[in-house]
């Protein structure tokens, strides 16, 4: 994962991410609703391999979306847990070893709240995506 490191060992990287997945929406007979998103994000990894990550962008069918999470880096894999504020979900996410241009991610999301009569009221999301590394300027 392409990153820029400062003098105290904090590594920051930015990315563009494209996701695709399916959501379980109880209001439409649990039909698996497809969706997609394109987001910009930033990952910060501290010397103890603690991760702070955020991202935001455009999505279908919700128009906008984003995520904020924390986690841990294990060798070439990042494991994060966090919240998607809209549509609201808690998530667990894993990255896969990086290639030359970026890396794959997968996440499982769950909405613990009762969703009522909303197209965006999904109960769960299974999501896969690809992150392209962005080169940061000093």
């Amino acid at each position: 994962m392409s990153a820029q490191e400062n003098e105290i060992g904090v590594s920051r990287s930015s990315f563009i991410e494209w996701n695709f997945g399916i959501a379980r929406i109880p209001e439409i007979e649990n039909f698996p609703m497809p969706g997609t998103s394109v987001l910009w994000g930033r990952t910060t990894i501290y010397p103890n391999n603690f991760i702070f990550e955020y991202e935001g962008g455009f999505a279908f069918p919700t128009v906008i979306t984003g995520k904020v999470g924390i986690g841990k880096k294990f060798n070439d894999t990042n494991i994060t847990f966090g919240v998607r504020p809209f549509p609201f979900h808690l998530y667990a996410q894993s990255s896969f070893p990086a290639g030359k241009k970026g890396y794959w991610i997968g996440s499982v999301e769950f909405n613990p709240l009762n969703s009522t009569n909303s197209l965006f009221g999904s109960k769960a999301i299974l999501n896969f995506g690809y992150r392209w590394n962005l080169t940061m300027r000093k």
Side-chain angles (χ1 to χ4, degrees):
M1 292 171 219
S2 177
Q4 193 174 49
E5 193 170 308
N6 68 14
E7 63 278 352
I8 59 171
V10 175
S11 170
R12 289 186 177 85
S13 60
S14 292
F15 56 85
I16 296 290
E17 177 179 300
W18 173 63
N19 295 292
F20 54 94
I22 55 171
R24 178 180 164 258
I25 302 177
E27 287 78 17
I28 54 176
E29 302 300 322
N30 291 316
F31 182 78
M33 176 76 166
T36 189
S37 63
V38 175
L39 304 102
W40 172 87
R42 179 171 249 186
T43 301
T44 302
I45 302 175
Y46 296 89
N48 61 358
N49 289 325
F50 175 81
I51 297 170
F52 174 70
E53 186 169 84
Y54 60 89
E55 58 188 301
F58 301 101
F60 174 80
T62 61
V63 182
I64 61 168
T65 193
K67 295 193 300 192
V68 177
I70 60 171
K72 185 86 170 166
K73 180 176 180 166
F74 301 95
N75 299 319
D76 291 334
T77 302
N78 295 349
I79 305 291
T80 56
F81 300 91
V83 64
R84 178 188 298 272
F86 181 77
F88 182 78
H89 286 85
L90 301 176
Y91 72 88
Q93 177 175 286
S94 177
S95 68
F96 298 94
K100 290 183 180 185
K101 296 183 181 190
Y103 55 98
W104 290 95
I105 60 162
S107 68
V108 176
E109 305 184 22
F110 176 71
N111 179 352
L113 306 176
N114 288 329
S115 59
T116 56
N117 300 323
S118 168
L119 176 61
F120 308 128
S122 63
K123 199 64 178 166
I125 298 174
L126 177 61
N127 184 57
F128 296 96
Y130 191 81
R131 289 183 174 178
W132 287 270
N133 299 319
L134 297 176
T135 303
M136 297 173 42
R137 296 181 184 175
K138 287 187 178 186

